[in-house]
Amino acid sequence: MFEILKRQEMAGGTVVLNEISAPAIARKAKPGQFVILKANETGERIPLTMADTDPKKGTITIIYQVVGKSTTLFKSLQVGERFQDVIGPLGQATHLEKLGTVVCVGGGTGVAVLHPITRGLKEIGNRVIAIIGARTKDLLILEDKMKAASNELHVCTDDGSYGHHGFVTDVLKEILEKEDVKMVVGIGPVPMMKFVCKVTEQYKVKTLVSLNAIMVDGTGMCGCCRVTIGGETRFACVDGPEFDGHKVDFDELSQRLNAYKEDEAVAMQQYACKCQAG
Amino acid sequence: MAETTEKKEKVPRQPMPEQSAEVRRRNFEEVPRGYTAEMAMKEAERCLQCKNPACMNGCPVSIEIPAFIKHVKEGDFTKAVRKIWERNALPAVCGRVCPQEIQCEGLCILGKKGEPVAIGNLERFVADWERANGKGDLPPKAEPTGKRVAVVGSGPSGLTVAGDLILKGHDVTIFEAFHKPGGVLVYGIPEFRLPKEIVYSEVNFLERLGAKLQCNSVVGRTVSVDELFEEGFDAVYIGVGAGLPSFLNIPGENLIGIYSANEYLTRANLMKAYLFPEYDTPIVRGKDVAVLGAGNVAMDSARTAMRLGADRVRIVYRRSRDEMPARKAEIHHAEEEGIEFHLLTAPTRFIGDENGRVKAMECLKMELGEPDASGRRRPVPVEGSKFTLDCDLAVISVGAGANPLLTRSTEGLQLTKWGYIIADPETGKTTKKGVWAGGDIVTGQATVILAMGAGRMASDSIHKYLTWGW
């Protein structure tokens, strides 16, 4: 189990896709749910929201940005190699409902998480407008898939190298001005989600976000992933990862995501040295 | 009779050699070093071999204590461990973590005038001896019954049920949500009290007996209880523990450097964060540590913080020394290692720095008022006693509740208003046919051996059900 059946590098190797054999998880997983992965005996447990599942083949797909030691280690795993542990499906599934017009906004690798939700929302009869963004054209992922999963796709790059020159929130504003939007789903880096929520708040449109808090077990037994939602503490792993974006304390989330910055640098540095020596 | 008693009492209780406090407070090696064969045989001689042994009444799994001690006395350690296995598949664990002073040893007749027989030390000795020197023999097993039992959770109660039912000839599969088996024995109790290799070796013993172990299986998510029946299991035992951490619900609790004891100990023990960066999981290494609460878990957290290099570790507790729920021995060990106790003190909020890291707690002094529902005197704030206490790491150890992940996804299970499973105290039967439950998910946070006792009762009931019906 947990053998890598397919491996694909995206966005110039900064993002990696793995299709992993995990029949028990694939059978049960729904859009919005996540898995915890651990590469080897000394590894840490990392949460990643599933980008896709294939119950027939018994596989799940994860797409992750290479940002530190663990994701660098994941990237080094080749087809035929295995993750030692994959646990899931965890968290609440996205509540998919026919509402009318909905907008799905994705930034960076958040697009990978957004894709199954977008597809699910369209499948049950919503008119789905998707907006995806990246810093530059080379970092954009899943454009074709998002096109297929939505009725209308807008692409933005911060540097204008492709599509609309500017942020996803610019396009979102334009759409909210002229369309009767029933719901917005925003998934991406914390600052992006925060700004999406600021925009939709003005238009009083319900907004779902998927929070990427630090986790250990992912089953509600430690509280590492606690977030403040409407003034109350909630566990992202069991109550989330999706929450009403207008109630999220994003500044606290940002701060908590930085908790181990120095340790993460130490781990990465050590790993890089080992790789060079080996 | 009186004469023999006096003669035997001349051999004093054999002390267990242990690492000195000065050395052990900075390492994760086990504190007590264990008996040598000579010490064990000498200690075994002290047992009076009572005709009606009181000690057995104190053992929740009813080990035939005088019988196994007789084998130790004769130097036949293999026979001794076999005797224990008849009732308990986890002797190396129980010998270490049971509160013997209120169980078997608390009822030992020798304890009335002097020191009771060191039953726990002897149990630990034979289990360790078997692991190091045994030939890997297994206890006899009943003929296969063709019945399949799913055990959910591989903590003390689940392992007991699994060990029992496998010996009775049933086909047992253990489902564990974590990547390693053992439950609280692995994520909660620190290495210096219970080396993890010992837990794995006891689980491995069950596997050699034929139990199947499936880690990374979150029952309630990966598979549901009803699906287990659909897959052909004839009975299900739920022993998922009380794994939902309680917080204080005071301002500033989400600052960096504030952990639930569950998170702190899981990082340190299960993920081996104390070996970072050799292991990848990081942990905040505080210099000035406050542990809130005074149970065994709080002692474990404080002693772990000391081993992770703290300059100062304080147990902060809102009641007084007399009400501390931890075992006396654990409090004593903590004190020897330099843990300070800050009693009759309750935090009211945490204060952070500009990066969102905890730097202090605002506290109130307390005094004890009238007894509350628990019979303990209720702490009452002293007016105008507000003060701040510096800390760069705070571990909240004020108990745990029922994790709703499994129960919420299982229909037909009746729960208490706190979310614990209602089960018959004699049999462990729940309100759902074919489903038993025991341990902390029924009683709330209790002890390892109580969970094992619950497992023992449930396995007897499950066996009857599989043989005769509900």
Side-chain angles (χ1 to χ4, degrees):
Chain A
M1 275 214 287
F2 313 138
E3 184 183 341
I4 296 173
L5 302 179
K6 187 179 154 194
R7 180 186 177 283
Q8 184 190 335
E9 292 191 10
M10 304 166 140
T14 61
V15 175
V16 180
L17 174 151
N18 283 151
E19 193 180 316
I20 305 164
S21 167
I25 302 173
R27 199 161 54 226
K28 293 291 278 275
K30 295 198 176 68
Q33 290 189 301
F34 67 94
V35 287
I36 295 250
L37 303 105
K38 181 167 158 288
N40 57 24
E41 190 57 32
T42 57
E44 62 179 332
R45 293 165 65 102
I46 299 283
L48 285 173
T49 302
M50 286 172 275
D52 210 350
T53 55
D54 188 336
K56 277 199 200 115
K57 250 170 91 186
T59 61
I60 61 167
T61 301
I62 51 163
I63 296 179
Y64 52 90
Q65 193 167 8
V66 181
V67 287
K69 163 153 187 197
S70 288
T71 41
T72 306
L73 179 63
F74 286 8
K75 187 185 172 181
S76 75
L77 296 175
Q78 301 303 316
V79 170
E81 292 188 291
R82 285 155 203 276
F83 283 88
Q84 191 175 69
D85 302 288
V86 181
I87 302 107
L90 299 170
Q92 303 293 330
T94 310
H95 179 64
L96 297 173
E97 200 183 346
K98 189 172 170 184
L99 296 163
T101 300
V102 296
V103 181
C104 294
V105 192
T109 43
V111 176
V113 177
L114 187 69
H115 172 247
I117 298 169
T118 310
R119 192 174 54 191
L121 284 168
K122 191 185 165 198
E123 271 169 9
I124 59 166
N126 290 290
R127 177 166 165 259
V128 182
I129 304 172
I131 312 168
I132 60 172
R135 266 189 295 128
T136 173
K137 187 187 175 192
D138 302 334
L139 298 178
L140 199 68
I141 61 166
L142 301 180
E143 188 188 350
D144 294 343
K145 289 210 162 196
M146 283 302 288
K147 197 168 212 163
S150 59
N151 300 86
E152 189 181 318
L153 177 71
H154 300 263
V155 180
C156 317
T157 50
D158 296 1
D159 66 353
S161 51
Y162 184 62
H164 171 84
H165 183 176
F167 298 125
V168 286
T169 40
D170 305 338
V171 181
L172 176 62
K173 245 187 222 165
E174 282 171 30
I175 293 168
L176 289 172
E177 275 297 329
K178 60 182 188 201
E179 301 261 2
D180 179 23
V181 175
K182 298 294 186 204
M183 182 174 78
V184 172
V185 183
I187 302 176
V190 175
M192 185 214 99
M193 292 194 285
K194 184 179 164 181
F195 287 118
V196 164
C197 291
K198 275 206 170 141
V199 170
T200 58
E201 220 163 17
Q202 291 163 24
Y203 294 87
K204 296 193 171 58
V205 179
K206 184 185 161 187
T207 305
L208 275 185
V209 293
S210 179
L211 304 184
N212 53 337
I214 299 178
M215 290 185 190
V216 182
D217 67 292
T219 60
M221 60 83 70
C222 84
C224 173
C225 64
R226 60 196 193 273
V227 287
T228 301
I229 309 293
E232 279 176 33
T233 294
R234 307 284 291 276
F235 292 180
C237 70
V238 286
D239 301 319
E242 285 168 23
F243 291 100
D244 178 345
H246 296 152
K247 293 185 175 165
V248 175
D249 185 338
F250 284 108
D251 295 337
E252 180 188 272
L253 175 65
S254 289
Q255 235 165 21
R256 286 184 66 82
L257 284 169
N258 284 332
Y260 299 99
K261 235 180 179 161
E262 286 160 32
D263 295 312
E264 284 161 10
V266 169
M268 188 61 218
Q269 202 185 355
Q270 260 232 342
Y271 184 62
C273 291
K274 235 188 241 167
C275 283
Q276 264 172 3
Chain B
M1 278 307 283
E3 232 178 73
T4 31
T5 311
E6 262 192 85
K7 216 168 82 194
K8 295 232 168 164
E9 262 300 75
K10 277 177 191 160
V11 181
R13 179 174 159 121
Q14 297 299 296
M16 177 83 92
E18 53 180 47
Q19 277 196 82
S20 80
E22 263 321 295
V23 175
R24 73 179 192 237
R25 67 200 283 269
R26 294 300 190 196
N27 71 46
F28 278 83
E29 282 162 42
E30 197 174 10
V31 172
R33 292 305 200 184
Y35 279 161
T36 61
E38 292 70 36
M39 288 175 193
M41 288 165 72
K42 207 167 166 193
E43 180 64 28
E45 254 179 57
R46 297 180 64 232
C47 174
L48 301 179
Q49 294 292 320
C50 302
K51 285 256 156 40
N52 292 308
C55 55
M56 278 182 67
N57 299 331
C59 175
V61 297
S62 309
I63 293 172
E64 285 184 45
I65 294 165
F68 102 76
I69 292 184
K70 189 159 180 279
H71 293 311
V72 177
K73 183 178 150 192
E74 289 157 0
D76 193 339
F77 307 134
T78 301
K79 269 198 183 144
V81 77
R82 277 176 172 266
K83 196 75 212 160
I84 299 175
W85 279 343
E86 286 173 12
R87 303 295 301 171
N88 180 2
L90 312 167
V93 170
C94 288
R96 285 172 166 82
V97 303
C98 276
Q100 287 97 5
E101 69 276 13
I102 57 165
Q103 294 174 335
C104 54
E105 294 180 20
L107 295 179
C108 173
I109 194 89
L110 288 186
K112 296 214 161 139
K113 278 189 183 168
E115 293 246 66
V117 175
I119 302 165
N121 290 353
L122 289 174
E123 182 183 24
R124 170 191 162 136
F125 167 77
V126 292
D128 288 357
W129 187 90
E130 173 66 21
R131 203 172 55 252
N133 308 300
K135 295 194 188 78
D137 294 347
L138 294 173
K141 231 172 98 171
E143 284 296 306
T145 61
K147 302 285 185 183
R148 296 177 67 206
V149 182
V151 173
V152 185
S154 66
S157 84
L159 292 179
T160 302
V161 170
D164 239 27
L165 292 178
I166 201 87
L167 287 178
K168 291 189 167 106
H170 307 296
D171 182 353
V172 179
T173 306
I174 307 167
F175 294 86
E176 167 57 44
F178 265 131
H179 57 274
K180 292 259 163 109
V184 75
L185 305 174
V186 166
Y187 78 75
I189 301 177
E191 188 79 17
F192 54 83
R193 278 219 290 137
L194 177 63
K196 300 309 143 212
E197 284 314 314
I198 288 170
V199 181
Y200 299 142
S201 122
E202 300 221 321
V203 174
N204 181 257
F205 170 71
L206 295 183
E207 288 186 283
R208 285 196 292 129
L209 281 172
K212 282 164 255 174
L213 172 67
Q214 222 167 296
C215 286
N216 298 326
S217 283
V218 188
V219 176
R221 289 268 197 262
T222 315
V223 65
S224 72
V225 171
D226 287 320
E227 283 166 335
L228 289 175
F229 285 113
E230 284 163 29
E231 281 177 27
F233 285 101
D234 299 290
V236 175
Y237 177 78
I238 301 172
V240 294
L244 186 78
S246 300
F247 284 90
L248 296 163
N249 298 314
I250 58 174
E253 204 161 20
N254 295 347
L255 289 164
I256 299 166
I258 301 176
Y259 286 122
S260 72
N262 265 7
E263 180 182 354
Y264 187 64
L265 293 173
T266 300
R267 282 178 183 271
N269 300 326
L270 178 73
M271 306 311 297
K272 296 203 188 302
Y274 68 91
L275 297 174
F276 179 88
E278 190 193 325
Y279 280 71
D280 294 342
T281 304
I283 193 163
V284 173
R285 289 171 186 248
K287 284 290 161 202
D288 195 352
V289 182
V291 175
L292 307 169
N296 290 322
V297 178
M299 299 304 142
D300 286 344
S301 302
R303 296 171 72 194
T304 298
M306 187 56 90
R307 283 160 174 78
L308 284 168
D311 294 331
R312 178 173 201 187
V313 182
R314 276 183 280 208
I315 294 272
V316 177
Y317 183 49
R318 62 199 184 113
R319 301 183 200 244
S320 74
R321 183 168 281 266
D322 291 340
E323 289 84 27
M324 295 205 295
R327 278 175 78 183
K328 292 264 178 314
E330 300 304 326
I331 296 169
H332 179 64
H333 272 136
E335 271 182 325
E336 281 183 332
E337 289 166 15
I339 312 289
E340 297 166 42
F341 289 79
H342 215 92
L343 304 170
L344 290 165
T345 302
T348 48
R349 75 180 176 104
F350 292 101
I351 302 163
D353 66 11
E354 65 283 2
N355 297 316
R357 286 177 190 270
V358 65
K359 63 172 188 185
M361 300 191 301
E362 203 172 85
C363 300
L364 285 177
K365 277 271 151 211
M366 309 299 267
E367 58 190 7
L368 292 181
E370 294 299 306
D372 64 10
S374 74
R376 297 182 297 179
R377 291 178 65 193
R378 200 163 57 87
V380 185
V382 175
E383 227 170 285
S385 65
K386 191 164 87 180
F387 69 103
T388 53
L389 199 143
D390 288 344
C391 65
D392 58 359
L393 168 64
V395 181
I396 296 168
S397 178
V398 293
N403 187 323
L405 207 139
L406 179 142
T407 49
R408 248 189 229 159
S409 68
T410 309
E411 270 183 49
L413 269 187
Q414 219 175 319
L415 308 178
T416 68
K417 64 176 168 175
W418 299 281
Y420 295 109
I421 297 176
I422 295 176
D424 184 316
E426 301 289 316
T427 61
K429 274 184 188 176
T430 68
T431 50
K432 190 177 172 76
K433 188 168 186 284
V435 179
W436 281 256
D440 287 4
I441 190 59
V442 172
T443 57
Q445 204 175 18
T447 62
V448 166
I449 191 67
L450 282 178
M452 294 182 62
R456 151 83 34 200
M457 283 193 310
S459 66
D460 288 343
S461 171
I462 293 169
H463 179 63
K464 273 186 203 140
Y465 168 70
L466 294 176
T467 320
W468 305 104
W470 184 264

